[in-house]
Amino acid sequence: MQIQVNHSVREIPPDWQDESLLVVLREALGLTGTRFGCGAGQCGACTVLIDGQPRRACLTPVAAVGASRVETIEGLAAPDGGLHPVQQAWLDQATPQCGYCQSGQIMATVALLRNRPSPTAADIDAALSGNLCRCGTQQRIRASVQRAAQTLRGGQ
């Protein structure tokens, strides 16, 4: 079995094909940026993009991925190592505190900004409502989303 992850086709060994996408990404493929949080799809730490849509990797069987494109936090950076504008905005705004939820927050934000380049506060709240942050950095997260949106629109 093969899946497309971060623009590369990856072979999934037979003994991993009954696992969740999260387990395969982390354990079989070594992509540890996608985090295990609650394991029940409630916290959003494991959010990846499947065909551009945010999905919980802990609830997605790897066998269900098929020919879909999977994007993880590791796949956002440019080939030269330059950060994606959302990742850069997170750093510029000093968004993470503990950082555990941030990869899921960033992936949900990337999906939001691809669909809504100029999101309202309500759009941001709705898009990130399934991503929990226990450190209380929600105001910095919102500011980071707005900063990234401005950068992506060319407003640096």
Side-chain angles (χ1 to χ4, degrees):
M1 177 171 130
Q2 297 177 331
I3 62 172
Q4 184 179 351
V5 179
N6 299 331
H7 312 291
S8 297
V9 174
R10 305 290 298 265
E11 189 72 33
I12 307 303
D15 52 330
W16 291 93
Q17 294 177 14
D18 291 329
E19 297 289 346
S20 70
L21 178 59
L22 176 63
V23 169
V24 170
L25 290 172
R26 292 183 58 81
E27 304 298 329
L29 302 181
L31 298 171
T32 58
T34 303
R35 306 291 174 86
F36 177 84
C38 66
Q42 300 296 311
C43 72
C46 69
T47 301
V48 297
L49 303 183
I50 299 178
D51 289 336
Q53 298 302 310
R55 298 284 182 257
R56 301 295 193 253
C58 72
L59 297 178
T60 304
V62 72
V65 173
S68 297
R69 294 178 338 266
V70 177
E71 292 176 82
T72 70
I73 190 84
E74 291 92 346
L76 292 181
D80 67 359
L83 295 178
H84 184 280
V86 174
Q87 292 171 305
Q88 188 61 54
W90 246 250
L91 292 176
D92 293 345
Q93 295 296 127
T95 301
Q97 190 165 325
C98 85
Y100 201 84
C101 68
Q102 298 306 300
S103 60
Q105 300 269 7
I106 288 169
M107 297 308 292
T109 297
V110 168
L112 168 66
L113 295 179
R114 285 178 181 169
N115 292 315
R116 290 194 178 268
S118 299
T120 64
D123 293 334
I124 294 168
D125 289 347
L128 298 178
S129 66
N131 294 76
L132 302 179
C133 174
R134 293 190 149 308
C135 297
T137 64
Q138 287 84 358
Q139 294 301 332
R140 286 184 281 178
I141 290 167
R142 285 184 195 100
S144 297
V145 174
Q146 291 292 358
R147 183 180 189 117
Q150 182 180 15
T151 299
L152 287 165
R153 289 190 313 265
Q156 303 254 349

